[in-house]
Amino acid sequence: MQILVLGVSIFQRKDGTHGARVTVASTPRNPNQRGLAVAELEALPEVADTMRVFPGIYKLDMDLPVANGYGRPNEVRPLVTGATLVAPVVPGKKENAPSS
């Protein structure tokens, strides 16, 4: 899917493993709401490392694993497994260019 990516965050969990989240924006489903709807998606840390241009339109490859837990219903947690820059939102901004 192609979507507007606002940024990424990489973090370390208490058990020492690394994780990442991708912040995305899209038009809201409710026609009465103005602006953009923002959400965070879990991502592989190595995928987040490759994303350098923000904001930008990225083609995201997604995996939909089912997470189950004791005493809780099963749920699907989207996981970003790949990202390709389609176009920067800011004209003239290039990959790996320092922001001014």
Side-chain angles (χ1 to χ4, degrees), residues 3-4 6-7 21-26 36-41:
I3 194 161
L4 174 62
L6 301 176
R21 290 192 182 95
V22 177
T23 305
V24 298
S26 180
L36 296 172
V38 179
E40 283 190 332
L41 303 173

Side-chain angles (χ1 to χ4, degrees), residues 22-23 25 32 42 49 53 57 80 83 100:
V22 177
T23 305
N32 295 327
E42 295 290 325
D49 283 339
V53 179
I57 305 294
V80 178
S100 52

Side-chain angles (χ1 to χ4, degrees), residues 2 17 48 67 78:
Q2 291 186 8
T17 60

Side-chain angles (χ1 to χ4, degrees), residues 1 20-22 24 39-44 60-67 75-81:
M1 93 169 94
R21 290 192 182 95
V22 177
V24 298
E40 283 190 332
L41 303 173
E42 295 290 325
L44 297 174
L60 300 181
D61 299 325
M62 306 287 290
D63 187 19
L64 299 172
V66 176
E75 62 182 357
V76 175
R77 294 184 183 165
L79 177 67
V80 178
T81 57

Side-chain angles (χ1 to χ4, degrees), residues 32-97:
N32 295 327
Q33 182 179 354
R34 296 181 187 175
L36 296 172
V38 179
E40 283 190 332
L41 303 173
E42 295 290 325
L44 297 174
E46 53 270 16
V47 173
D49 283 339
T50 64
M51 302 171 79
R52 302 267 184 229
V53 179
F54 302 107
I57 305 294
Y58 282 86
K59 179 185 179 295
L60 300 181
D61 299 325
M62 306 287 290
D63 187 19
L64 299 172
V66 176
N68 54 8
Y70 179 75
R72 293 184 300 193
N74 293 349
E75 62 182 357
V76 175
R77 294 184 183 165
L79 177 67
V80 178
T81 57
T84 306
L85 178 66
V86 174
V89 174
V90 179
K93 191 167 186 180
K94 297 182 180 170
E95 193 167 349
N96 295 328

